[in-house]
Structure formats: C-alpha cells, structure tokens
Amino acid sequence: MKRLIFESEHEQLRASAKAFVEREIAPYAEQWERDGIIDREAFKKAGEAGLVGFYMPEEFGGSDIDDFRFNAVVIEEMAKFGSRAPAFTLQNDVIGPYLKKLCSDEQKERWLPGFASGEIIGAIAMTEPGAGSDLAGIKTSAVLDGDHWVLNGAKTFISCGINADLVIVVTRTDPEAGHKGFTLLGVERGMEGFERGRNLDKLGQHAQDTAELSFTNVRVPAANVIGEVNKGFYHLMHNLPSERLAIGVGAVAGARKAFEDTLVYVAERKAFGQSVGSFQANRHKIAEIATELDIAQAFVDRCIQGAVDGELTAVDASKAKWWCTELAKRIVDTCLQLHGGYGYMAEYPISRIYADVRIETIYGGTTEIMKDIIGRDLGF
C-alpha cells in the first residue's frame, strides 16, 4: 500500500539515511555487538550526514526543520538495521526536543552545536532501581546550595549511559510537592561525584550501551537546570507523546524488515518438495502479517501527520506505542517459527531480532501503562 504522508524531500533524506547505514553501520555492527557499545565516531559521522540534530536552529548547526516526518524517516531506516544502529532515535526524538525547547540561550550556546554535530551524546535518566513507570517513586534528589544543586541518587537502565556527555537527570527538588517537585538537571561528563556503573548485560540490543549511573554530592550549577525548577514532570509529559510515537514508528519498520527477510527465506527453503511458504497454513500466516502491517502503518502514518500538525495526543501516541510494539513482538515470533530450527541459530538475523524486539513493549512506558492512559481517557 502506497504511503501518502511523505514528499520528495523526505525521500531524499531516506536515500541518504539508507546509504549511511550501508556505509557507516553495516561494516562495524558485529564489532559493536561484541563490544557492547557503539563507537562514538558513528555519531559524529551522522552529524556530518545531517541525521542527528537536523531540527536544531541554523545558528547551532541544524537546519531548523520542524517536521516529524524527517524524524520518522531516520527512525525507519535505522529500525531496518535493528539495535545495531546507533541510538539516533534517542538523540533526535527524546533528548533533542528537551534541549531545543527548554534550554536557555546560554545553554543552547554551550550544548546545541556539539549535539547537532554528533560530538555531544545525550541521555535521559528517569528509571531508578526502585522506580520505573511510577515516576512518583523517584528518590534521586537535589538540594540548592548557593548557585549549585547538590545531587544524590542512582539511576538504572539508562540508554547511552556509558557514551553520554550530557545526562538529563530527573530529580526531586521539593520532597513535599509530589509530582510538582521534580526538576531536570543537565549533568555533564566529568562532574565530580558522577559515576557510571556497569554497562548492563541484556537479553538483546547488545550494541546499545545501557548503564547504571550514580550521583554522590554532585554539584550541578544552577545554570544547568533544564526548563523550570519544579516543572520537570510537566516537561516530561509534554515530550512523552512524540517519544512513544517514535517507538511505534520503529516497531512497525523493524517488523516489516523481519517480515521481508522471512518472505525470502520461506520462498527459497524447500520441504516435502515445495517452498515452506506455499503450505496453506504458512501462506495464511504470511497473509495475516501483511495485512496487520498495513493496518498498523496506516494508523502510525496518521499519528505522524498529527505530530506534524501539532494535533498528536498522549492517548493516540499511547495507542500507537502499545499496539505496534505488541504487534512487532508477535510478528517476529511468527517469522522465527517460519524459519524453523535455523531461526534459533545466531547466524540468522531473525534470532537477534527476536531478542531485540522484546524490550519494545517495556521501555518508553509499558503496554500496561499505555492501556491505563487510554482507559483513563475513556472515563475509567
């Protein structure tokens, strides 16, 4: 089914992104998997290619583009290569909006040029050992001391936590104010008391560094407050819809790539004198996947257009996030089954995709949280 939301300039970026993947990711991906981290040079090369920070103001090295369709193109081309692609989605769709919309003029001068060039890698630290989806459980705190905030606490499961030069830390600055007492602090590499723990060993997504972070009496300048003091929760809620849509976009693109690879396999693989795909049971599974992907794509494209028009709601983003990630998980499982025993072998990409896709229904807000948001909107 032809997609209607993209124009010629979006497809030009898609061609550039595809070429970048073939040139700067594919040759190094296996090494990154073994290392458990992506080489920082990949982010710099992406900056040179205009694949990160392109939406930043021109004076800071961007093109000042405010069109989520460009974001979607980068997400889709990276998703086709799976978790071994650098975390451009995290940079463009999670970190970037906080920096562009909330930073002071002085902060923009300090951080945006490096971010747009790929020299500054960002991360956001929300999750804690005892607080995941329930942000009210966050215990990391900061106390104002003169012109510095003294930060103490620990975070875990932080994507790009090892590579990050700038970490947006969600911290409690008013312990009596509940969700009205959070502030976002920009913690920079090298600040005394800021330590990185393990690069966590995960089920999948091995090339993506995921870290534990700790903060012991870290003196963060008041000039590093991102947004407004005690408004951190509102800043998070404003950005979460586009973050969740980005995950949905990537889930559909990744599932479609897994499906396309599987179509090739079941056409070539023979059993009992015919292709595996030509058996009626398998042919029906293939038909179901093709249909479900097109239906999911239609809804995701409508949400992308909603983001472009400024009409994307938290509820619609939650629908896209949970439905597309659950669908991707189910499709990849079926694709592995269609590979038979070979699907369980590490040499076949479907086995890695199977491990990688499992986290998508968890990060960015679990499926259960997404359904709760939707249910509450319906009055329950």
Side-chain angles (χ1 to χ4, degrees):
M1 181 180 293
K2 183 179 179 180
R3 300 173 68 185
L4 303 177
I5 62 170
F6 296 115
E7 299 175 13
S8 60
E9 59 264 34
H10 304 113
E11 297 305 336
Q12 289 172 9
L13 179 63
R14 188 183 302 280
S16 297
K18 183 178 180 180
F20 181 88
V21 168
E22 294 172 350
R23 183 180 69 252
E24 303 294 351
I25 297 178
Y28 313 105
E30 296 298 333
Q31 185 63 50
W32 295 342
E33 286 259 313
R34 290 191 292 270
D35 294 343
I37 193 168
I38 291 165
D39 192 326
R40 292 178 59 90
E41 287 300 311
F43 291 85
K44 295 180 183 178
K45 290 177 180 178
E48 294 172 2
L51 298 180
V52 292
F54 49 82
Y55 43 84
M56 292 300 181
E58 291 184 10
E59 62 265 36
F60 301 120
S63 301
D64 206 15
I65 296 172
D66 185 15
D67 182 344
F68 191 80
R69 288 174 293 182
F70 287 100
N71 298 58
V73 165
V74 175
I75 294 166
E76 290 174 352
E77 292 309 309
M78 295 301 115
K80 291 176 184 177
F81 202 72
S83 65
R84 295 178 295 173
F88 299 150
T89 298
L90 176 70
Q91 303 304 308
N92 288 334
D93 308 306
V94 180
I95 309 303
Y98 289 100
L99 301 183
K100 181 178 181 179
K101 296 175 184 177
L102 298 176
C103 279
S104 66
D105 290 341
E106 185 274 333
Q107 289 171 339
K108 290 178 179 178
E109 293 281 351
R110 272 195 288 153
W111 294 330
L112 296 198
F115 187 85
S117 69
E119 294 175 288
I120 292 178
I121 299 173
I124 186 164
M126 287 188 274
T127 303
E128 298 185 0
S133 297
D134 180 15
L135 292 179
I138 286 177
K139 294 182 179 179
T140 296
S141 63
V143 177
L144 189 61
D145 179 24
D147 58 357
H148 286 76
W149 289 92
V150 181
L151 176 66
N152 285 279
K155 301 289 184 177
T156 194
F157 307 148
I158 308 306
S159 298
C160 283
I162 301 295
N163 261 334
D165 304 290
L166 174 65
V167 182
I168 301 173
V169 180
V170 182
T171 184
R172 191 179 293 278
T173 46
D174 186 343
E176 307 300 325
H179 68 276
K180 296 181 179 180
F182 292 115
T183 300
L184 307 182
L185 295 179
V187 178
E188 298 174 88
R189 179 184 293 277
M191 285 185 171
E192 186 175 354
F194 170 30
E195 301 289 341
R196 302 166 205 259
R198 296 178 297 155
N199 186 356
L200 298 169
D201 187 14
K202 307 182 295 295
L203 169 68
Q205 301 204 3
H206 295 142
Q208 172 58 64
D209 60 303
T210 307
E212 298 172 323
L213 306 179
S214 66
F215 310 94
T216 305
N217 293 325
V218 181
R219 294 186 65 82
V220 183
N224 279 28
V225 170
I226 297 175
E228 297 182 50
V229 173
N230 294 332
K231 295 291 186 181
F233 182 82
Y234 300 102
H235 298 324
L236 293 172
M237 292 304 103
H238 179 77
N239 281 331
L240 278 172
S242 60
E243 295 175 23
R244 287 166 175 164
L245 173 58
I247 296 172
V249 171
V252 175
R256 188 176 295 281
K257 181 61 167 63
F259 179 53
E260 290 171 352
D261 290 347
T262 301
L263 288 179
V264 174
Y265 179 84
V266 298
E268 296 176 348
R269 177 70 173 172
K270 297 295 190 295
F272 304 102
Q274 64 187 94
S275 69
V276 169
S278 65
F279 287 92
Q280 186 183 58
N282 292 341
R283 189 164 63 243
H284 287 185
K285 288 179 181 178
I286 291 168
E288 289 169 3
I289 293 173
T291 304
E292 289 176 317
L293 278 171
D294 281 351
I295 292 170
Q297 191 71 75
F299 183 69
V300 163
D301 284 357
R302 181 64 190 89
C303 287
I304 292 172
Q305 189 62 55
V308 172
D309 297 338
E311 299 173 351
L312 178 68
T313 67
V315 171
D316 284 342
S318 296
K319 291 176 181 177
K321 200 275 179 185
W322 89 257
W323 176 259
C324 294
T325 56
E326 293 286 350
L327 176 65
K329 185 174 69 173
R330 180 158 46 86
I331 286 174
V332 170
D333 182 77
T334 301
C335 288
L336 188 148
Q337 187 73 15
L338 287 167
H339 277 74
Y342 286 105
Y344 203 65
M345 300 297 106
E347 64 189 275
Y348 279 77
I350 193 65
S351 68
R352 176 182 50 76
I353 296 170
Y354 182 81
D356 287 348
V357 76
R358 187 59 187 86
I359 190 60
E360 292 182 354
T361 62
I362 298 172
Y363 63 29
T366 64
T367 291
E368 292 73 21
I369 293 295
M370 298 302 97
K371 290 180 179 179
D372 202 51
I373 291 170
I374 298 163
R376 289 176 182 273
D377 184 68
L378 294 171
F380 297 98

